[in-house]
Amino acid sequence: MVPIGANTYEVVATFHAFAMTESSRPLRILIVDNHPVMRRGIRMLLETRPHWTVCGEAANGRDAVEHARRAKPDVVVMDLTLPELNGLDAMRQILKDAPATEVVVLTIHDSEDVVQQTLQAGARGYVLKSDAGRSLVEAVESLGRHTPFFTPTVAELVLEAYIRGDTGEPHGLEPPTVTSREREIIQLIAEGRTSKAVAADLGISVKTVEAHRTNIMRKLRMHSVTQLVRYAIRHHLTEV
């Protein structure tokens, strides 16, 4: 038998100390939903778990991006239909800043288009709000270990798309001809913002907003704000 030297004991002790620190480190969670009652319910559900802490809440996509930059959460629980900046674009910005962050989408949308767009944006968890009571904790726990999680309904949609050989190219929420900045402007206009308000929100000039608006209307072959609002609702950029 080879004797265990002092250095070996030190290495083992250091390893155990590191493992204990990692296992006891709080899992930091950011909750993003525009309904206060929903955020409160999610918080109450998640905070029943030891070593989990809700490090912030956001009611719109723009605040979610800022909260994520400041709080550096491990997991973001996010709705898709959010004011000011939709969930997909907010998710892209969060993951661009912090690629190791995990995102669990918690939504009412169960269409294949929405699921595909969400996965393409970088989410690795997808839970329907109707399943939240029995699946959300499991989803957050799974993503806390960097393991994807989908409820059975969503997993079936993903599998069916894979079997059919879908490319996952955007064809619903994110038309290829519309840029990320143009989607932001569409959403803000659909929410009733004036060009001046949109310019203030995005930190650009009113002239730039008007140029984007003209280009959007041309691209989408639209002639009125009413058509733009219908487009935003149909593509889940805003609520009715």
Side-chain angles (χ1 to χ4, degrees):
M1 179 181 293
V2 178
I4 299 178
N7 288 341
T8 305
Y9 279 117
E10 289 175 7
V11 170
V12 172
T14 301
F15 173 79
H16 281 299
F18 174 78
M20 288 178 66
T21 301
E22 286 296 294
S23 63
S24 62
R25 188 178 69 85
L27 185 72
R28 297 169 55 79
I29 305 165
L30 173 65
I31 300 171
V32 186
D33 196 291
N34 64 320
H35 298 104
V37 174
M38 193 70 192
R39 292 199 306 274
R40 192 177 308 122
I42 295 169
R43 177 186 278 270
M44 290 174 63
L45 181 65
L46 297 181
E47 287 187 336
T48 61
R49 296 300 299 266
H51 307 305
W52 287 14
T53 180
V54 174
C55 62
E57 295 182 16
N60 63 65
R62 206 168 303 285
D63 282 350
V65 174
E66 290 306 314
H67 273 291
R69 283 174 181 159
R70 291 197 307 267
K72 302 188 184 330
D74 300 300
V75 179
V76 179
V77 178
M78 174 181 284
D79 195 2
L80 290 177
T81 307
L82 298 168
E84 297 191 27
L85 182 67
N86 66 82
L88 284 179
D89 286 321
M91 187 191 316
R92 290 186 182 96
Q93 291 188 32
I94 289 170
L95 294 176
K96 181 179 179 181
D97 291 337
T101 301
E102 297 283 7
V103 178
V104 179
V105 167
L106 181 63
T107 180
I108 61 171
H109 301 297
D110 61 354
S111 73
E112 188 174 306
D113 275 352
V114 176
V115 173
Q116 291 287 350
Q117 289 294 322
T118 301
L119 296 180
Q120 190 174 59
R124 282 160 42 89
Y126 200 110
V127 177
L128 299 177
K129 286 189 174 180
S130 57
D131 298 329
R134 60 178 175 271
S135 298
L136 183 58
V137 168
E138 188 179 352
V140 172
E141 186 174 39
S142 182
L143 265 72
R145 301 190 304 267
H146 299 289
T147 302
F149 181 94
F150 305 102
T151 53
T153 301
V154 176
E156 187 174 343
L157 290 174
V158 173
L159 180 61
E160 287 176 355
Y162 175 78
I163 291 172
R164 287 198 312 273
D166 284 4
T167 62
E169 289 298 313
H171 50 87
L173 274 170
E174 183 188 6
T177 54
V178 179
T179 67
S180 176
R181 175 46 60 93
E182 287 169 344
R183 280 197 310 277
E184 288 185 75
I185 291 173
I186 291 170
Q187 178 174 352
L188 292 171
I189 291 173
E191 290 174 355
R193 302 284 208 289
T194 63
S195 294
K196 186 176 180 180
V198 173
D201 284 342
L202 300 181
I204 57 179
S205 69
V206 173
K207 186 176 179 180
T208 301
V209 172
E210 293 294 346
H212 275 304
R213 180 170 172 164
T214 300
N215 198 36
I216 289 166
M217 301 294 268
R218 179 185 59 77
K219 280 183 176 183
L220 300 179
R221 298 180 181 179
M222 293 180 179
H223 308 286
S224 69
V225 173
T226 301
Q227 288 178 306
L228 208 59
V229 172
R230 289 174 182 164
Y231 174 92
I233 293 171
R234 188 168 65 250
H235 294 284
H236 309 289
L237 298 179
T238 189
E239 293 182 320
V240 179

